[in-house]
Amino acid sequence: MTVADRRVAALDLMMELVLLLGGDMTQSLARDGLTVSRAHLLWELRHRGPSTQRVLADALGVSARTITGLVDGLATTGFVTREPHPTDRRATLVTFTAHGAQITETMERGQRDLAQLLFAGIPADRFGHFTEVLGEVMTRLRAQIPPGEVL
Amino acid sequence: MTVADRRVAALDLMMELVLLLGGDMTQSLARDGLTVSRAHLLWELRHRGPSTQRVLADALGVSARTITGLVDGLATTGFVTREPHPTDRRATLVTFTAHGAQITETMERGQRDLAQLLFAGIPADRFGHFTEVLGEVMTRLRAQIPPGEVL
DNA sequence: TATTGTTATACTCTATAACTATA
DNA sequence: TATAGTTATAGAGTATAACAATA
C-alpha cells in the first residue's frame, strides 16, 4: 500500500467515524424525543444561558427562520420556553424548563460515558499521540474551511 | 486536567471533526448539484455497479420510499437513469449516465486530495500510531452500535 | 403469498422573501 | 433605517401504510 493509499484509508476511517457517531447520536437522542439540531440548540443554551433567537441562529449557523422552527418544536415538547426579553420588546429569551435542563445534564453524562467507553485503557503515551495528530488534522481542516462557516 | 477530562476533550475534538467534515462535504457537493444522501447513493453505485432500488435501500439503510425520492432527484438532474431489469419486470436497475460516472470519479479524486491535505508531512510513526488508535476506537464504537444498523 | 417500487401522507430541517413590531 | 422574529412558500430527507404489478 502506498503512502497515499494509507492516507485515503485513514480518511475512510474518519468518514466511517462520522457515520457511526452521527447515527449513534441520532438514535440515542430520538429516545429522549430530540433530534440532532434540537439537541445542538440545547447544547448552546447550556453553555450560554438564556439567549435570544438571533444569538442562537448565529451560534448554530442557521437562518432565523430555522430557529423559529426549532424553538417551536422544543417548546411544544416541553424542553424550553420563550420568555420576554427584559429590555428589548422585539426579542425573546429562550430558556430551559426543568425537564430541558435535566435532559441536557443527562446528555452531558452520556458524553462522559461514551468518552470512557472509547478511550479507557489506551496507554497514556499512545492516547497523547492520538490527540496530538487529531489536533493537527483539525487545524488543517479548519484552515481549509472558508472562514465564517459552520461554528 | 483529569484523565476523564482529557478523554472528553478528545471526544469533543472528534465531534468537531464530524461537524467540520460534514459541513465541508455538504458545501463541496452542493457545488456539483448534489446532496450528501444523493452522493452516498452514487458512491454505492460506483462500488456495486447498476443496482436495484431494493439493494440501494439496504445499502444506505433507508426505506424503499426514500430511495424512490433520491433516484427521482438524481434522474431529474441527469446523474442516473432507471433501466429495466433484464429478468425481473418488477425491478429497475439504477445506472450511471456519463455525467454521473464522471462526477463520481471527480469525487474520488477530491477525496484523495483531501487525504493528502490532512495527513501529508506527518511523520510515519506518528501517523501509524494515530491510525492504530483510531482503528481501536472504531472497533469499540462498532461494538457499541446495535448490530444491523447504519451500514 | 411475497417482493419491488409507487402514491399518499406526515414530520423535520433548511432557505429566501415579505411583513410586523420594535429600536 | 435597522433589527428580532414571524408567516408564506419551497425543496430535501426521512418514515409508515396502502396499493399495483410481478414473482
PDB file of all heavy atoms in Angstrom, chain B residues 94-116:
ATOM      1  N   VAL B  94     -30.793   0.968 -11.369  1.00  0.00           N
ATOM      2  CA  VAL B  94     -30.295   2.344 -11.351  1.00  0.00           C
ATOM      3  C   VAL B  94     -28.898   2.323 -11.950  1.00  0.00           C
ATOM      4  O   VAL B  94     -28.048   1.527 -11.537  1.00  0.00           O
ATOM      5  CB  VAL B  94     -30.277   2.906  -9.921  1.00  0.00           C
ATOM      6  CG1 VAL B  94     -29.806   4.344  -9.925  1.00  0.00           C
ATOM      7  CG2 VAL B  94     -31.657   2.783  -9.282  1.00  0.00           C
ATOM      8  N   THR B  95     -28.661   3.212 -12.930  1.00  0.00           N
ATOM      9  CA  THR B  95     -27.454   3.151 -13.752  1.00  0.00           C
ATOM     10  C   THR B  95     -26.890   4.552 -13.963  1.00  0.00           C
ATOM     11  O   THR B  95     -27.646   5.496 -14.144  1.00  0.00           O
ATOM     12  CB  THR B  95     -27.810   2.547 -15.136  1.00  0.00           C
ATOM     13  OG1 THR B  95     -28.562   1.347 -14.927  1.00  0.00           O
ATOM     14  CG2 THR B  95     -26.569   2.255 -15.951  1.00  0.00           C
ATOM     15  N   PHE B  96     -25.573   4.681 -13.950  1.00  0.00           N
ATOM     16  CA  PHE B  96     -24.936   5.978 -14.199  1.00  0.00           C
ATOM     17  C   PHE B  96     -25.204   6.489 -15.609  1.00  0.00           C
ATOM     18  O   PHE B  96     -25.181   5.709 -16.567  1.00  0.00           O
ATOM     19  CB  PHE B  96     -23.411   5.857 -14.063  1.00  0.00           C
ATOM     20  CG  PHE B  96     -22.922   5.943 -12.656  1.00  0.00           C
ATOM     21  CD1 PHE B  96     -22.106   4.957 -12.132  1.00  0.00           C
ATOM     22  CD2 PHE B  96     -23.253   7.019 -11.851  1.00  0.00           C
ATOM     23  CE1 PHE B  96     -21.630   5.022 -10.837  1.00  0.00           C
ATOM     24  CE2 PHE B  96     -22.786   7.099 -10.548  1.00  0.00           C
ATOM     25  CZ  PHE B  96     -21.975   6.099 -10.053  1.00  0.00           C
ATOM     26  N   THR B  97     -25.407   7.784 -15.740  1.00  0.00           N
ATOM     27  CA  THR B  97     -25.226   8.446 -17.025  1.00  0.00           C
ATOM     28  C   THR B  97     -23.729   8.746 -17.150  1.00  0.00           C
ATOM     29  O   THR B  97     -22.979   8.573 -16.182  1.00  0.00           O
ATOM     30  CB  THR B  97     -25.994   9.784 -17.080  1.00  0.00           C
ATOM     31  OG1 THR B  97     -25.475  10.628 -16.040  1.00  0.00           O
ATOM     32  CG2 THR B  97     -27.481   9.567 -16.881  1.00  0.00           C
ATOM     33  N   ALA B  98     -23.301   9.215 -18.328  1.00  0.00           N
ATOM     34  CA  ALA B  98     -21.894   9.600 -18.485  1.00  0.00           C
ATOM     35  C   ALA B  98     -21.551  10.683 -17.465  1.00  0.00           C
ATOM     36  O   ALA B  98     -20.503  10.633 -16.808  1.00  0.00           O
ATOM     37  CB  ALA B  98     -21.642  10.095 -19.910  1.00  0.00           C
ATOM     38  N   HIS B  99     -22.441  11.640 -17.314  1.00  0.00           N
ATOM     39  CA  HIS B  99     -22.220  12.724 -16.361  1.00  0.00           C
ATOM     40  C   HIS B  99     -22.083  12.202 -14.934  1.00  0.00           C
ATOM     41  O   HIS B  99     -21.188  12.604 -14.190  1.00  0.00           O
ATOM     42  CB  HIS B  99     -23.377  13.733 -16.442  1.00  0.00           C
ATOM     43  CG  HIS B  99     -23.261  14.865 -15.475  1.00  0.00           C
ATOM     44  ND1 HIS B  99     -24.305  15.258 -14.671  1.00  0.00           N
ATOM     45  CD2 HIS B  99     -22.221  15.679 -15.168  1.00  0.00           C
ATOM     46  CE1 HIS B  99     -23.913  16.270 -13.915  1.00  0.00           C
ATOM     47  NE2 HIS B  99     -22.662  16.553 -14.189  1.00  0.00           N
ATOM     48  N   GLY B 100     -22.964  11.293 -14.556  1.00  0.00           N
ATOM     49  CA  GLY B 100     -22.921  10.724 -13.220  1.00  0.00           C
ATOM     50  C   GLY B 100     -21.619   9.987 -12.953  1.00  0.00           C
ATOM     51  O   GLY B 100     -21.012  10.124 -11.886  1.00  0.00           O
ATOM     52  N   ALA B 101     -21.170   9.217 -13.931  1.00  0.00           N
ATOM     53  CA  ALA B 101     -19.925   8.467 -13.764  1.00  0.00           C
ATOM     54  C   ALA B 101     -18.744   9.426 -13.632  1.00  0.00           C
ATOM     55  O   ALA B 101     -17.845   9.226 -12.806  1.00  0.00           O
ATOM     56  CB  ALA B 101     -19.717   7.540 -14.966  1.00  0.00           C
ATOM     57  N   GLN B 102     -18.800  10.498 -14.422  1.00  0.00           N
ATOM     58  CA  GLN B 102     -17.689  11.460 -14.411  1.00  0.00           C
ATOM     59  C   GLN B 102     -17.612  12.195 -13.072  1.00  0.00           C
ATOM     60  O   GLN B 102     -16.531  12.348 -12.490  1.00  0.00           O
ATOM     61  CB  GLN B 102     -17.875  12.440 -15.586  1.00  0.00           C
ATOM     62  CG  GLN B 102     -16.727  13.423 -15.752  1.00  0.00           C
ATOM     63  CD  GLN B 102     -17.133  14.811 -15.341  1.00  0.00           C
ATOM     64  OE1 GLN B 102     -18.137  15.339 -15.826  1.00  0.00           O
ATOM     65  NE2 GLN B 102     -16.360  15.405 -14.452  1.00  0.00           N
ATOM     66  N   ILE B 103     -18.764  12.627 -12.578  1.00  0.00           N
ATOM     67  CA  ILE B 103     -18.810  13.330 -11.292  1.00  0.00           C
ATOM     68  C   ILE B 103     -18.313  12.431 -10.163  1.00  0.00           C
ATOM     69  O   ILE B 103     -17.609  12.869  -9.256  1.00  0.00           O
ATOM     70  CB  ILE B 103     -20.256  13.788 -10.993  1.00  0.00           C
ATOM     71  CG1 ILE B 103     -20.553  15.111 -11.702  1.00  0.00           C
ATOM     72  CG2 ILE B 103     -20.495  13.937  -9.509  1.00  0.00           C
ATOM     73  CD1 ILE B 103     -19.912  16.321 -11.067  1.00  0.00           C
ATOM     74  N   THR B 104     -18.667  11.166 -10.227  1.00  0.00           N
ATOM     75  CA  THR B 104     -18.260  10.238  -9.175  1.00  0.00           C
ATOM     76  C   THR B 104     -16.751  10.061  -9.165  1.00  0.00           C
ATOM     77  O   THR B 104     -16.126   9.984  -8.105  1.00  0.00           O
ATOM     78  CB  THR B 104     -18.974   8.891  -9.358  1.00  0.00           C
ATOM     79  OG1 THR B 104     -20.383   9.136  -9.455  1.00  0.00           O
ATOM     80  CG2 THR B 104     -18.716   7.978  -8.182  1.00  0.00           C
ATOM     81  N   GLU B 105     -16.155  10.040 -10.363  1.00  0.00           N
ATOM     82  CA  GLU B 105     -14.688   9.981 -10.421  1.00  0.00           C
ATOM     83  C   GLU B 105     -14.076  11.243  -9.838  1.00  0.00           C
ATOM     84  O   GLU B 105     -13.065  11.186  -9.134  1.00  0.00           O
ATOM     85  CB  GLU B 105     -14.223   9.808 -11.870  1.00  0.00           C
ATOM     86  CG  GLU B 105     -14.294   8.357 -12.345  1.00  0.00           C
ATOM     87  CD  GLU B 105     -14.099   8.255 -13.848  1.00  0.00           C
ATOM     88  OE1 GLU B 105     -13.275   9.019 -14.403  1.00  0.00           O
ATOM     89  OE2 GLU B 105     -14.781   7.427 -14.473  1.00  0.00           O
ATOM     90  N   THR B 106     -14.689  12.372 -10.134  1.00  0.00           N
ATOM     91  CA  THR B 106     -14.209  13.631  -9.580  1.00  0.00           C
ATOM     92  C   THR B 106     -14.263  13.610  -8.053  1.00  0.00           C
ATOM     93  O   THR B 106     -13.332  14.050  -7.383  1.00  0.00           O
ATOM     94  CB  THR B 106     -15.055  14.810 -10.097  1.00  0.00           C
ATOM     95  OG1 THR B 106     -15.011  14.804 -11.525  1.00  0.00           O
ATOM     96  CG2 THR B 106     -14.534  16.130  -9.570  1.00  0.00           C
ATOM     97  N   MET B 107     -15.348  13.062  -7.497  1.00  0.00           N
ATOM     98  CA  MET B 107     -15.478  12.961  -6.051  1.00  0.00           C
ATOM     99  C   MET B 107     -14.354  12.109  -5.466  1.00  0.00           C
ATOM    100  O   MET B 107     -13.796  12.427  -4.417  1.00  0.00           O
ATOM    101  CB  MET B 107     -16.827  12.329  -5.675  1.00  0.00           C
ATOM    102  CG  MET B 107     -18.024  13.262  -5.797  1.00  0.00           C
ATOM    103  SD  MET B 107     -19.636  12.373  -5.712  1.00  0.00           S
ATOM    104  CE  MET B 107     -19.319  11.189  -4.403  1.00  0.00           C
ATOM    105  N   GLU B 108     -14.033  11.040  -6.180  1.00  0.00           N
ATOM    106  CA  GLU B 108     -12.988  10.151  -5.685  1.00  0.00           C
ATOM    107  C   GLU B 108     -11.629  10.874  -5.685  1.00  0.00           C
ATOM    108  O   GLU B 108     -10.838  10.734  -4.755  1.00  0.00           O
ATOM    109  CB  GLU B 108     -12.923   8.898  -6.566  1.00  0.00           C
ATOM    110  CG  GLU B 108     -12.777   7.631  -5.765  1.00  0.00           C
ATOM    111  CD  GLU B 108     -13.307   6.400  -6.519  1.00  0.00           C
ATOM    112  OE1 GLU B 108     -12.729   6.058  -7.556  1.00  0.00           O
ATOM    113  OE2 GLU B 108     -14.298   5.800  -6.054  1.00  0.00           O
ATOM    114  N   ARG B 109     -11.396  11.661  -6.717  1.00  0.00           N
ATOM    115  CA  ARG B 109     -10.159  12.431  -6.762  1.00  0.00           C
ATOM    116  C   ARG B 109     -10.134  13.452  -5.624  1.00  0.00           C
ATOM    117  O   ARG B 109      -9.119  13.648  -4.962  1.00  0.00           O
ATOM    118  CB  ARG B 109     -10.015  13.122  -8.124  1.00  0.00           C
ATOM    119  CG  ARG B 109      -8.735  12.723  -8.854  1.00  0.00           C
ATOM    120  CD  ARG B 109      -8.649  13.402 -10.220  1.00  0.00           C
ATOM    121  NE  ARG B 109      -9.746  13.007 -11.088  1.00  0.00           N
ATOM    122  CZ  ARG B 109     -10.604  13.839 -11.676  1.00  0.00           C
ATOM    123  NH1 ARG B 109     -10.498  15.139 -11.490  1.00  0.00           N
ATOM    124  NH2 ARG B 109     -11.567  13.380 -12.439  1.00  0.00           N
ATOM    125  N   GLY B 110     -11.273  14.108  -5.391  1.00  0.00           N
ATOM    126  CA  GLY B 110     -11.369  15.082  -4.314  1.00  0.00           C
ATOM    127  C   GLY B 110     -11.058  14.457  -2.970  1.00  0.00           C
ATOM    128  O   GLY B 110     -10.412  15.069  -2.112  1.00  0.00           O
ATOM    129  N   GLN B 111     -11.476  13.212  -2.797  1.00  0.00           N
ATOM    130  CA  GLN B 111     -11.214  12.505  -1.546  1.00  0.00           C
ATOM    131  C   GLN B 111      -9.707  12.279  -1.356  1.00  0.00           C
ATOM    132  O   GLN B 111      -9.170  12.472  -0.268  1.00  0.00           O
ATOM    133  CB  GLN B 111     -11.958  11.171  -1.570  1.00  0.00           C
ATOM    134  CG  GLN B 111     -12.095  10.527  -0.205  1.00  0.00           C
ATOM    135  CD  GLN B 111     -12.324   9.030  -0.317  1.00  0.00           C
ATOM    136  OE1 GLN B 111     -12.170   8.452  -1.391  1.00  0.00           O
ATOM    137  NE2 GLN B 111     -12.682   8.409   0.785  1.00  0.00           N
ATOM    138  N   ARG B 112      -9.029  11.899  -2.450  1.00  0.00           N
ATOM    139  CA  ARG B 112      -7.571  11.706  -2.369  1.00  0.00           C
ATOM    140  C   ARG B 112      -6.876  13.026  -2.029  1.00  0.00           C
ATOM    141  O   ARG B 112      -5.956  13.069  -1.217  1.00  0.00           O
ATOM    142  CB  ARG B 112      -7.015  11.173  -3.700  1.00  0.00           C
ATOM    143  CG  ARG B 112      -7.432   9.743  -4.014  1.00  0.00           C
ATOM    144  CD  ARG B 112      -6.652   9.182  -5.209  1.00  0.00           C
ATOM    145  NE  ARG B 112      -5.402   8.554  -4.813  1.00  0.00           N
ATOM    146  CZ  ARG B 112      -5.303   7.328  -4.301  1.00  0.00           C
ATOM    147  NH1 ARG B 112      -6.380   6.598  -4.126  1.00  0.00           N
ATOM    148  NH2 ARG B 112      -4.130   6.836  -3.969  1.00  0.00           N
ATOM    149  N   ASP B 113      -7.342  14.094  -2.655  1.00  0.00           N
ATOM    150  CA  ASP B 113      -6.736  15.407  -2.395  1.00  0.00           C
ATOM    151  C   ASP B 113      -6.904  15.805  -0.935  1.00  0.00           C
ATOM    152  O   ASP B 113      -5.964  16.313  -0.309  1.00  0.00           O
ATOM    153  CB  ASP B 113      -7.377  16.474  -3.292  1.00  0.00           C
ATOM    154  CG  ASP B 113      -7.042  16.253  -4.765  1.00  0.00           C
ATOM    155  OD1 ASP B 113      -6.114  15.452  -5.046  1.00  0.00           O
ATOM    156  OD2 ASP B 113      -7.690  16.867  -5.627  1.00  0.00           O
ATOM    157  N   LEU B 114      -8.100  15.573  -0.399  1.00  0.00           N
ATOM    158  CA  LEU B 114      -8.349  15.931   0.996  1.00  0.00           C
ATOM    159  C   LEU B 114      -7.465  15.104   1.931  1.00  0.00           C
ATOM    160  O   LEU B 114      -6.913  15.628   2.901  1.00  0.00           O
ATOM    161  CB  LEU B 114      -9.832  15.720   1.339  1.00  0.00           C
ATOM    162  CG  LEU B 114     -10.244  16.065   2.774  1.00  0.00           C
ATOM    163  CD1 LEU B 114      -9.931  17.528   3.087  1.00  0.00           C
ATOM    164  CD2 LEU B 114     -11.726  15.779   3.007  1.00  0.00           C
ATOM    165  N   ALA B 115      -7.318  13.821   1.621  1.00  0.00           N
ATOM    166  CA  ALA B 115      -6.463  12.956   2.449  1.00  0.00           C
ATOM    167  C   ALA B 115      -5.028  13.487   2.459  1.00  0.00           C
ATOM    168  O   ALA B 115      -4.371  13.518   3.508  1.00  0.00           O
ATOM    169  CB  ALA B 115      -6.508  11.525   1.930  1.00  0.00           C
ATOM    170  N   GLN B 116      -4.534  13.929   1.308  1.00  0.00           N
ATOM    171  CA  GLN B 116      -3.186  14.487   1.251  1.00  0.00           C
ATOM    172  C   GLN B 116      -3.097  15.737   2.115  1.00  0.00           C
ATOM    173  O   GLN B 116      -2.180  15.912   2.914  1.00  0.00           O
ATOM    174  CB  GLN B 116      -2.803  14.855  -0.196  1.00  0.00           C
ATOM    175  CG  GLN B 116      -2.671  13.674  -1.126  1.00  0.00           C
ATOM    176  CD  GLN B 116      -1.791  12.582  -0.553  1.00  0.00           C
ATOM    177  OE1 GLN B 116      -0.660  12.831  -0.161  1.00  0.00           O
ATOM    178  NE2 GLN B 116      -2.314  11.367  -0.481  1.00  0.00           N
TER     179      GLN B 116
END
